[in-house]
Amino acid sequence: MNSHEETATVPKSEPIKGHTTHSDNIDASREEERGSEYPKPFILGLVMVNLCIATFLVGLDQTIVATAAPKITKSFNALGDIAWWTSAYLLTSSTMQLAYGRLYTLFPTKHVYNTAIIVFAIGSLICTTAPKSVALIVGRAIAGCGAAGIFSGSVLILAASCPLEKRASYTGLLFMSLGISAIVGPFIGGALADRATWRWCFGINLPICAIIVLSTCLLVHTPADEKTRKMTWREKVEEFDLPGTILLTASLVCIILALQLGGSQYPWSSGRVVALFVVASVIFLVFLSMQIWLPKHRSFSSTIIGNRNVAIAATYSGFISGGMFVIITYLPIWFQAVKGANALRSGVMTAPLIIAFIVMPILSGALTQGLGYYNPAMILGATLSAIGAGLLGTLTTTSLSSRWIGFQVLYGLGAGAGVPPPMLVVQTVLTPNTIPMGVSLVNLTQMLWSSIVVAIAQTVFINKLEEGIFVALPGFDAKAISKSFAAQLDTIYSSEQLRAVLPAYSNAVTKTFFITTALSCAALLLMGGLQWKSMKAKTS
């Protein structure tokens, strides 16, 4: 474990490529921050309310479609498009991260942020007025393009609104709003679809987006960096590295699309899935070649590439977030298959996890702010996540509510402590002009790892379920049953068969939780390489 080290004052100079401590320019950046004119507490409070509402909308759009899907299906008679109504949003919100990182680097944060909000609103408008399912999918994709820049923009606006040593608690508020949206999204979607129309699930975004844009214009001041302010549009286009950005984005689109389609709509051996992986690999190799042979047009500066703290923070974030998506995806399946809960009831039964996740970012943020180091919260988060997920993996058909509630709380506290700090790492170890790309890199890693890990978990679940059904009911068509929905098993099996296969369903689900345990343990091991950098302002 590295010893605690305070940042030393050094002259501004070009960082040495491959140098891992990255103490260059940090003190100068701190001086720049202390010289900034931060808003008064009341204005900062209004800014935070604005950012939390915007973050809430981004999270809401990920979950609100779930309970409204039956009504949408009835309107369009398009049962086969259900997955795309969510996938289109997630696909574009993932793959556009790096493009926004470049935009936030080259233009004033406020302008890029408002543009992202407007694009999100345009996508929501298309969804609200969609005459066909295809239009809804297009609208969801456009909304995702806007959503990609909203959360990273919120982090950057927060960075411009208060000094580094005070950001931990405010960052916790942003993640708390994401957690709340995960809870209320399905309920709001169901209520709007039943009491009004499913179109309001998207139309509700429009007036809120207008308020956010207006509030941002009035309350937020984020001037462009002195260097980028003097650049011409041609210089900014060259700096944007359009060829590299297009190649990397195309590669990400192919790989995320393959992960979403593989094992669900098509088998992993399908020609379409294999072709997507091959195309993704080829495009990425072309991108990599450009980075090596054309160093003047690198997508990532040596400041980011050569900083091990950024790499560790991004990887840690991917491990913790990926593991959390496995739990969130498969725990409701356990409640529905093993405990016989319906979809709504299973959502209520996962409330202990979500509530713990909402509360913990605030507590861990206060801890981080008090200590001045993010390392303790990250260590605590990985430890509690590993223990909580491991205990969830021990659940059986006879497990009492006291066990699955307690285990959820333990895991939720771990995830809540572990998810926010990587954003603080990049703000601490990078200079202001490289922070946008660092934040986007962390966001992208979170989303990419979540897609990869959920795909792995799906394969584990199906394989274990088929094995279990084959052992419990020899001769039964395990492959067909394993791909059916996990709820209302009493309509598929007789009472005697149900008693025999319930342990198979329980075992198949809980085995996926050990993936989260392994990822949390790996995240904990990564902490040995993360330096202890103080977030507190250095007094002289």
Side-chain angles (χ1 to χ4, degrees), residues 316 319-321 323-324 327 378-379 381-390 411 414-415 513-527:
Y316 175 98
F319 286 173
I320 295 295
S321 297
M324 183 177 67
I327 300 292
M378 296 175 75
I379 293 171
T383 302
L384 292 181
S385 296
I387 296 172
Y411 177 76
F513 299 157
F514 289 123
I515 298 174
T516 301
T517 305
L519 289 171
S520 300
C521 290
L524 185 59
L525 291 175
L526 285 173
M527 293 305 299

Side-chain angles (χ1 to χ4, degrees), residues 12-64:
K12 263 194 171 184
S13 61
E14 179 65 23
I16 300 172
K17 185 178 179 182
H19 196 263
T20 57
T21 60
H22 188 59
S23 57
D24 310 64
N25 295 332
I26 298 297
D27 276 340
S29 302
R30 296 284 180 85
E31 291 299 327
E32 181 181 330
E33 281 192 351
R34 288 198 291 274
S36 299
E37 185 66 33
Y38 294 118
K40 301 296 182 183
F42 177 72
I43 299 299
L44 177 59
L46 294 178
V47 170
M48 281 307 305
V49 170
N50 200 48
L51 297 181
C52 286
I53 292 174
T55 304
F56 177 85
L57 283 186
V58 172
L60 188 70
D61 256 40
Q62 294 179 4
T63 59
I64 198 171

Side-chain angles (χ1 to χ4, degrees), residues 455-471:
I456 294 172
Q458 182 179 12
T459 301
V460 170
F461 171 71
I462 290 177
N463 288 342
K464 289 296 179 183
L465 183 56
E466 289 178 357
E467 291 175 10
I469 294 176
F470 179 78
V471 172

Side-chain angles (χ1 to χ4, degrees), residues 442-458:
V442 171
N443 274 335
L444 174 63
T445 309
Q446 285 180 340
M447 295 178 178
L448 186 59
W449 265 101
S450 298
S451 298
I452 293 171
V453 174
V454 169
I456 294 172
Q458 182 179 12

